[in-house]
Amino acid sequence: MSVFQTYLQLGFFHIFNLRAYDHLVFLLALCAPYVLSDWRRVVALVTSFTVGHSLTLALATLGVVSFPPAVIEALIPVTILLTCAANLRQAGRAGLSRPARRRPESVLWAPANALAAGFGLVHGLGFSNYLRELLGPQSRPVLELLSFNVGVEIGQLLIVGLILLVGFLVLRGLGTPRRDWLLVVSGAAAGIAAVLLLNQFTAA
């Protein structure tokens, strides 16, 4: 197996690893407000997140920037909590299931995309901690970095697709109100993030 294939698989399976479940929870919270028909917006949102975490993943892995792992591990649940807070605010608005007609928001330049890119900067530093453990003493792992990042993205897209599919089944199949789905998913994600953050403080 080539180096590219090896690190591609490592990046892909890292997303599904229990060690990375905080990133899974973030993706769940990020996609919770959207339905299957919003897939273009979701792709733009996840791509924005990708741009952010790809930047810091590269910079941290190549040794250009450095942050204490404990700080990053504490900031990741904060990004989840902030995302959930935005979701809960949206759920509190009247008419979530049938939003009022208004001027269409740009898919590429939506404010949510900028927020996702910003949070991606934090998550990229979290990915880099794991990648540096794999690389050991190598100082310029350009091919490994590229293939690992591609693997992570493939895994993320698969997860996002599954989230949208489950949401479709719950909303359409079970007739669950969209507001209830958003409240339950965001509340669960916020609870997990709060536990993660508490664990970081107690371990410090």
Side-chain angles (χ1 to χ4, degrees), residues 12-99:
F12 179 83
F13 288 112
H14 176 60
I15 285 294
F16 294 94
N17 193 303
L18 290 179
R19 292 180 60 184
Y21 75 93
D22 49 352
H23 300 290
L24 295 176
V25 175
F26 176 77
L27 289 174
L28 179 63
L30 192 67
C31 297
Y34 300 94
V35 294
L36 193 58
S37 60
D38 296 324
W39 67 269
R40 292 180 182 85
R41 293 188 180 277
V42 174
V43 169
L45 193 67
V46 175
T47 301
S48 301
F49 177 66
T50 296
V51 171
H53 80 61
S54 296
L55 177 62
T56 49
L57 173 60
L59 293 176
T61 304
L62 296 174
V64 178
V65 298
S66 178
F67 291 89
V71 173
I72 302 305
E73 293 302 318
L75 286 177
I76 288 175
V78 170
T79 66
I80 300 172
L81 288 170
L82 291 175
T83 303
C84 292
N87 291 349
L88 294 175
R89 180 184 177 188
Q90 182 177 350
R93 298 173 185 169
L96 177 64
S97 299
R98 294 182 179 179

Side-chain angles (χ1 to χ4, degrees), residues 76-177:
I76 288 175
V78 170
T79 66
I80 300 172
L81 288 170
L82 291 175
T83 303
C84 292
N87 291 349
L88 294 175
R89 180 184 177 188
Q90 182 177 350
R93 298 173 185 169
L96 177 64
S97 299
R98 294 182 179 179
R101 291 184 177 273
R102 57 182 179 180
R103 186 176 180 180
E105 187 180 63
S106 171
V107 172
L108 294 178
W109 305 111
N113 295 349
L115 191 64
F119 288 164
L121 297 174
V122 176
H123 285 254
L125 294 170
F127 287 131
S128 70
N129 293 333
Y130 173 74
L131 184 55
R132 282 199 304 268
E133 291 178 4
L134 294 175
L135 293 171
Q138 298 185 51
S139 58
R140 296 289 172 182
V142 176
L143 179 60
E144 292 89 337
L145 175 61
L146 173 63
S147 55
F148 181 84
N149 200 52
V150 171
V152 167
E153 295 323 304
I154 294 173
Q156 282 187 168
L157 290 174
L158 179 58
I159 289 165
V160 167
L162 290 174
I163 292 171
L164 291 178
L165 179 58
V166 170
F168 176 81
L169 294 175
V170 171
L171 295 174
R172 291 291 185 89
L174 301 179
T176 303

Side-chain angles (χ1 to χ4, degrees), residues 1-13 143-144 147-148 151:
M1 185 179 296
S2 68
V3 172
F4 185 88
Q5 290 175 316
T6 298
Y7 281 86
L8 181 76
Q9 289 187 9
L10 287 171
F12 179 83
F13 288 112
L143 179 60
E144 292 89 337
S147 55
F148 181 84

